[in-house]
């Protein structure tokens, strides 16, 4: 039904930047809420950022506010995560996620999302 493929992860020095991309195969991508989540080694998956299908509402974890930006291009079925001023604590596997309607009042939790990509590793070193 829905397949998500992440790319753009890698090894970067603290203070550097990376841009993650996620291409989504879905017939109605423009109706999906999209999110980026991450899982550090031995930790639970946590929300990084999310964007509603309307594109006008976003959510960011406090730890990334002012540094990360989520965006989407519905014409390309793609969602992006621009990550600036990276810190070692940002090291994790990053997952692109999609949630199809209907939506609940709380829409940015990992358990709210139906489909997950394979993940891409981001490693930040000092």
């Amino acid at each position: 039904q829905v397949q998500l493929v992440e790319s753009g992860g890698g090894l970067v020095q603290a203070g550097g930047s990376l841009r993650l991309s996620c291409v989504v195969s879905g017939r109605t991508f423009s109706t999906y809420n999209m999110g980026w989540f991450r899982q550090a080694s031995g930790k639970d998956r946590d929300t990084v950022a999310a964007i509603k299908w309307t594109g006008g509402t976003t959510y960011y974890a406090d730890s990334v506010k002012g540094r990360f930006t989520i965006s989407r291009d519905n014409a390309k079925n793609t969602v992006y995560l621009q990550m600036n001023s990276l810190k070692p604590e940002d090291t994790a596997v990053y997952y692109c996620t999609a949630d199809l309607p209907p939506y609940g009042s709380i829409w940015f939790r990992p358990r709210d999302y139906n489909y997950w990509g394979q993940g891409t590793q981001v490693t930040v070193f000092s």
Side-chain angles (χ1 to χ4, degrees):
Q1 290 179 304
V2 179
Q3 184 179 6
L4 307 95
V5 181
E6 303 100 327
S7 63
L11 182 67
V12 64
Q13 189 172 19
S17 298
L18 286 174
R19 188 195 195 201
L20 306 184
S21 298
C22 174
V23 178
V24 182
S25 62
R27 299 182 66 84
T28 53
F29 171 76
S30 62
T31 71
Y32 305 166
N33 286 346
M34 299 297 300
W36 287 97
F37 299 84
R38 66 187 181 189
Q39 185 171 28
S41 180
K43 303 290 183 62
D44 292 332
R45 292 184 181 183
D46 293 323
T47 305
V48 177
I51 185 167
K52 284 190 172 183
W53 67 274
T54 61
T57 303
T58 56
Y59 170 88
Y60 294 96
D62 288 342
S63 60
V64 306
K65 286 181 179 177
R67 299 189 297 121
F68 291 10
T69 302
I70 188 171
S71 61
R72 65 191 297 159
D73 186 341
N74 287 347
K76 296 182 178 180
N77 275 31
T78 302
V79 63
Y80 305 95
L81 184 68
Q82 179 67 46
M83 304 185 294
N84 298 326
S85 302
L86 283 161
K87 304 175 181 179
E89 50 263 45
D90 295 318
T91 295
V93 177
Y94 284 70
Y95 296 90
C96 178
T97 64
D99 185 28
L100 276 60
Y103 307 115
S105 59
I106 302 175
W107 57 278
F108 47 78
R109 302 171 300 186
R111 65 178 178 269
D112 296 321
Y113 282 76
N114 308 95
Y115 300 95
W116 293 69
Q118 82 285 358
T120 185
Q121 176 70 46
V122 172
T123 302
V124 185
F125 65 93
S126 299

